[in-house]
Amino acid sequence: MAFMFKHMIGGQLKDLTGGLGEEKPEAEKSEAATKGMTQEEFEQYQEQLAEEKMERDASFAQKKAERATVRSHFREKYRLPKSELDDTQIQAAGDDVELPTELAKMIAEDNQEEEHKQSVLGQLTNIQNVDFDQLKEKAQSTIEDLKQSAEKCELM
């Protein structure tokens, strides 16, 4: 809308003023001048922007690789098919991909819980009608009985 207004009325205003006070078109101004900087400051600014972008990209790639590592860990744990995308993200970040410390702790705790559940005592806890104190007492009394009978045995 502003373009149309300027186009229709701008030409007529130039005729009235006789072309006094003409400004340079915006295309002729340098980028540095439009931002209010000298050419050197503008070049330094551009270099700084490029460095920051490279740092952000590297950080982003590292985070993506960490997430891919977590996904691949869970795929191994639950025996799911591997993802080629995760493998490429891990390789793109290099070999310095590690799990975040908090996540590594959580995984270690999960592994301990899994091991406990797979053990004999873990399986017994799944049985609801088992009284562990009673089982423990019976086992101890059985061992004591065996010791006493071994002491009474004449062969031993």
Side-chain angles (χ1 to χ4, degrees):
M1 184 76 175
F3 172 74
M4 293 291 289
F5 184 73
K6 189 175 182 180
H7 180 65
M8 295 175 79
I9 299 177
Q12 294 172 356
L13 287 175
K14 282 185 183 177
D15 291 339
L16 288 175
T17 60
L20 296 176
E22 288 185 23
E23 296 180 16
K24 292 182 180 179
E26 292 182 20
E28 293 180 15
K29 293 181 182 179
S30 68
E31 282 188 58
T34 59
K35 298 207 187 238
M37 300 181 207
T38 64
Q39 190 64 29
E40 291 177 12
E41 291 175 339
F42 185 72
E43 289 174 4
Q44 289 176 351
Y45 176 72
Q46 292 295 331
E47 289 176 14
Q48 183 181 6
L49 285 178
E51 289 175 7
E52 289 175 357
K53 184 179 183 325
M54 289 176 60
E55 289 175 9
R56 284 193 310 270
D57 290 345
S59 174
F60 183 67
Q62 181 71 20
K63 296 275 186 197
K64 282 174 55 175
E66 287 176 358
R67 292 182 193 118
T69 304
V70 171
R71 286 192 299 268
S72 64
H73 166 75
F74 284 112
R75 282 193 175 98
E76 288 175 10
K77 180 177 179 180
Y78 296 111
R79 297 182 185 120
L80 299 173
K82 292 185 178 183
S83 171
E84 292 180 19
L85 178 64
D86 289 345
D87 292 339
T88 56
Q89 287 177 347
I90 293 170
Q91 290 173 356
D95 291 334
D96 19 327
V97 179
E98 294 180 3
L99 290 176
T101 55
E102 294 176 5
L103 186 60
K105 288 179 186 177
M106 290 172 53
I107 290 172
E109 290 173 1
D110 287 345
N111 289 341
Q112 287 176 353
E113 289 177 11
E114 289 289 326
E115 289 174 6
H116 178 70
K117 287 180 182 177
Q118 292 176 354
S119 69
V120 174
L121 291 177
Q123 293 296 325
L124 289 177
T125 56
N126 292 337
I127 302 173
Q128 294 178 355
N129 298 332
V130 175
D131 184 15
F132 283 111
D133 293 330
Q134 185 180 6
L135 280 176
K136 193 174 183 182
E137 289 174 8
K138 284 184 180 180
Q140 287 177 349
S141 65
T142 305
I143 291 174
E144 288 176 9
D145 289 342
L146 287 173
K147 285 182 184 178
Q148 289 175 359
S149 62
E151 290 175 0
K152 294 179 183 176
C153 182
E154 296 176 6
L155 296 174
M156 298 186 114

